[in-house]
Amino acid sequence: MAKPDWEAIESAYRAGALSVRAIAKRYQVPESTLRKFAVRNAWQRDLTEKVAAATKDKVVRSAAVRTFSTKNTVRTDHDIIEQASDEALSVVLSHRVALAGWRQIANHLKAFLSSIVITEDNHASLARTLSAGVDAQLKLIKGERDAYGLNNETAPAQRKS
């Protein structure tokens, strides 16, 4: 078994974007070993808020996914934040692409349901389909608002400086 890349593991741990279990799995080390190593070396998971802020900044400014070479040596807080926010940016942008696909499907379902004539024979099945469509639309809207950072936040023009 290869020696674990403790420097990369430390970066992921300190960034706080992944759970300890996910980090252990990614770097193929036992979770208990990772926890003991972190305690012994006094690692602090103190960069979570900075990573979130950097991710939000990149999402606002980027239309394409940036990549980060895993071969780079990460030593400073800035480098750790950059790496973790690049990974988070990739996740957010992939969610946006997936949501766009679901938006198209929801619109097709809406168009289909709008064109159907309701009769005694199809009333029950159309009611279930309509209910499922409305539920899907509400989930889609919530997902889009989350992915675009529109929940629990004022518009950019309304933010206080």
Side-chain angles (χ1 to χ4, degrees):
M1 183 170 166
K3 182 179 176 185
D5 182 355
W6 287 107
E7 191 172 296
I9 293 169
E10 178 186 9
S11 295
Y13 183 91
R14 290 187 60 220
L18 298 173
S19 69
V20 174
R21 180 172 290 153
I23 295 167
K25 184 176 180 180
R26 175 181 280 182
Y27 292 99
Q28 299 176 342
V29 296
E31 185 179 347
S32 59
T33 303
L34 172 55
R35 288 183 187 281
K36 288 176 188 175
F37 203 89
V39 168
R40 187 177 331 128
N41 291 289
W43 292 347
Q44 298 294 316
R45 291 175 62 93
D46 58 354
L47 301 177
T48 305
E49 289 181 21
K50 291 179 182 177
V51 169
T55 299
K56 188 172 183 176
D57 184 55
K58 286 181 181 181
V59 167
V60 169
R61 294 190 172 147
S62 176
V65 177
R66 298 179 202 168
T67 58
F68 183 83
S69 171
T70 57
K71 295 179 182 179
N72 288 350
T73 302
V74 178
R75 289 200 169 96
T76 66
D77 287 358
H78 174 75
D79 291 337
I80 293 168
I81 292 166
E82 282 298 307
Q83 179 183 3
S85 63
D86 280 341
E87 289 177 13
L89 171 66
S90 177
V91 169
V92 170
L93 293 178
S94 71
H95 288 168
R96 287 181 177 183
V97 169
L99 285 166
W102 284 108
R103 161 80 54 206
Q104 188 176 24
I105 291 168
N107 287 339
H108 287 305
L109 178 60
K110 178 182 172 191
F112 172 75
L113 290 173
S114 296
S115 68
I116 297 293
V117 176
I118 299 174
T119 66
E120 292 266 339
D121 295 335
N122 67 10
H123 179 267
S125 62
L126 284 176
R128 286 190 300 272
T129 303
L130 178 62
S131 177
V134 169
D135 187 48
Q137 187 71 18
L138 291 173
K139 288 177 181 176
L140 175 64
I141 290 168
K142 182 187 180 319
E144 285 176 329
R145 293 184 66 77
D146 288 345
Y148 284 87
L150 299 173
N151 285 337
N152 300 324
E153 194 173 293
T154 58
Q158 297 173 342
R159 289 188 188 129
K160 295 178 183 177
S161 300

